[in-house]
Amino acid sequence: MLDNQNIEDYARKAAKASLDADIKYNRMRQGQAGVAEWEKAQAIFDNLSKSANFAACKRKPGDLAGLGSLGAIVAKIEQSGE
């Protein structure tokens, strides 16, 4: 459950950045894009994930709980279309 609008926004952006990085990675493997293009997309995803504190080991006691797995967050976003 996403119980904070800020976390939900980060999750939405991270899901989109993850998809973009995957697309660019596949394009790079097929010779349709350069390594730099994929690295830039991957760095954006990594930065969003770090900023959002998705990793349980990065959250402190008392931080917002209830995020669930990133897969569950992505599934929620895909189902809602946001």
Side-chain angles (χ1 to χ4, degrees):
M1 175 179 149
L2 300 174
D3 54 2
N4 180 297
Q5 187 64 36
N6 189 44
I7 292 172
E8 189 172 330
D9 185 52
Y10 267 116
R12 184 179 302 109
K13 289 176 181 173
K16 289 178 182 179
S18 176
L19 177 61
D20 186 50
D22 286 349
I23 289 169
K24 296 212 169 118
Y25 177 76
N26 287 331
R27 289 184 67 221
M28 178 192 68
R29 289 193 49 169
Q30 296 169 357
Q32 300 171 347
V35 173
E37 186 178 352
W38 168 70
E39 286 176 337
K40 182 178 178 182
Q42 186 65 36
I44 291 169
F45 170 71
D46 289 342
N47 286 334
L48 280 169
S49 296
K50 288 175 189 172
S51 295
N53 264 349
F54 286 140
C57 63
K58 298 288 184 183
R59 291 192 300 269
K60 298 174 193 134
D63 281 353
L64 293 173
L67 279 178
S69 69
L70 183 56
I73 294 167
V74 171
K76 181 188 182 308
I77 292 168
E78 288 176 346
Q79 290 172 356
S80 68
E82 295 180 15

